[in-house]
Amino acid sequence: MDALDRKILDHLLEDGRAGYAAIGDHVGLSAPAVKRRVDRLVADGVIRGFTVVIDPDHMGWTTEAYVEVHCQGAVSPDELRASFGKVPEVHVAATVSGPADAILHIVARDVRDLERALERVRDETANVGHTNTSIVLSRLIDRYGP
């Protein structure tokens, strides 16, 4: 990956819908040259996919929380992934260092919906001892959204 690839990636991060010609104008390449580079970045696994970022407010998702999951005994990351994947309100899940075994980012319609999602997390995940939930009051920085 060289400096031009980085410029292309920066442009795609800024505007994922930009066409090859627009990107080419920005980085000083032709549209076919940009397409070849993007195709190579996809083939090399640098670009893992293309997606849409949805504004949670427009979907009626007004409550979000970060949840620490503390398990009793050993639970593998594969087991956690499978369990958390059954709860659609879980938007991000990761194993972490420290006292918690995993942390979740949950997005829900309201506090009641959040509570139901937390119950499903506890029911679906083996050996959950307890969870600690922090409800988001306001986002200060979001580098993954518009």
Side-chain angles (χ1 to χ4, degrees):
M1 191 162 72
D2 62 17
L4 281 173
D5 290 335
R6 282 184 171 70
K7 285 182 181 179
I8 291 169
L9 290 172
D10 287 343
H11 195 80
L12 285 171
L13 285 170
E14 184 73 26
D15 180 5
R17 293 184 64 188
Y20 297 128
I23 296 169
D25 289 344
H26 181 74
V27 301
L29 292 174
S30 67
V34 171
K35 182 185 181 323
R36 282 192 301 274
R37 284 179 174 261
V38 169
D39 288 347
R40 184 178 39 78
L41 291 167
V42 169
D44 290 348
V46 176
I47 297 174
R48 296 189 316 186
F50 299 88
T51 190
V52 73
V53 178
I54 297 170
D55 183 339
D57 291 336
H58 287 259
M59 297 299 294
W61 301 333
T62 60
T63 303
E64 64 181 305
Y66 290 93
V67 180
E68 292 180 349
V69 178
H70 299 262
C71 297
Q72 298 171 340
V75 180
S76 75
D78 288 338
E79 290 176 273
L80 292 173
R81 181 182 301 107
S83 298
F84 299 151
K86 294 176 184 176
V87 182
E89 292 85 358
V90 174
H91 285 222
V92 177
T95 56
V96 293
S97 63
D101 293 288
I103 192 163
L104 310 176
H105 179 227
I106 294 180
V107 181
R109 287 187 310 269
D110 52 32
V111 173
R112 282 194 185 142
D113 193 37
L114 172 62
E115 184 176 27
R116 284 189 291 272
L118 290 170
E119 288 172 6
R120 285 197 308 280
V121 165
R122 290 185 203 109
D123 290 344
E124 294 290 342
T125 309
N127 301 330
V128 170
H130 69 280
T131 58
N132 292 329
T133 302
S134 297
I135 295 175
V136 173
L137 300 176
S138 64
R139 284 180 173 239
L140 303 176
I141 296 173
D142 184 356
R143 297 192 197 283
Y144 298 105

